[in-house]
Amino acid sequence: MSTEHHSHQHNLSCGHTKIKHEDHIDYVHNGHLHHEHEGHRDECRISVTDTNPDVCAPMNCGCRNDNDCGHELVPHGDHVDYLVNDRLHQVHDGHCDDHGPVELVPVK
């Protein structure tokens, strides 16, 4: 699915967080994952898998994970998670659930 037109051109040095996703790189941008190719952007999500489950897996991360926590939002399955130390965290019933790791691409 294509997203609306943005004037910003994502690339390996654009400053946005980059996540290796399947066979490409996605750029984290305002709670979305953008994949640029063939002159447009696709909207992506991290799939629910054994590596990135959608389960209640309480952890003590020490983060309040609210709108002002400073962590980036990443679409995962049918919800959004927070990106904390290369892992997906979902706020749930007063705690954070660990939804697994993501592979970040280093800044060039």
Side-chain angles (χ1 to χ4, degrees):
M1 174 191 322
S2 294
T3 61
E4 69 276 1
H5 176 72
H6 296 282
S7 60
H8 175 77
Q9 180 75 31
H10 291 300
N11 60 55
L12 291 176
S13 61
C14 74
H16 286 108
T17 300
K18 294 160 258 323
I19 294 177
K20 186 171 187 311
H21 180 221
E22 298 172 358
D23 64 350
H24 61 271
I25 294 174
D26 287 336
Y27 298 87
V28 181
H29 185 212
N30 296 333
H32 299 269
L33 284 180
H34 292 162
H35 170 57
E36 297 225 5
H37 71 112
E38 299 177 6
H40 69 275
R41 294 179 188 177
D42 288 343
E43 191 83 30
C44 293
R45 313 184 131 298
I46 302 296
S47 298
V48 174
T49 63
D50 288 342
T51 301
N52 297 111
D54 182 5
V55 295
C56 184
M59 60 182 300
N60 183 6
C61 66
C63 180
R64 69 179 193 265
N65 289 321
D66 60 26
N67 290 333
D68 296 322
C69 75
H71 290 112
E72 294 181 280
L73 292 170
V74 175
H76 174 225
D78 65 356
H79 62 279
V80 292
D81 289 339
Y82 289 93
L83 180 59
V84 181
N85 298 325
D86 303 350
R87 296 190 74 82
L88 299 176
H89 291 194
Q90 182 186 33
V91 177
H92 172 245
D93 276 347
H95 64 268
C96 276
D97 290 330
D98 183 1
H99 283 185
V102 292
E103 184 179 343
L104 297 184
V105 176
V107 175
K108 295 233 175 197

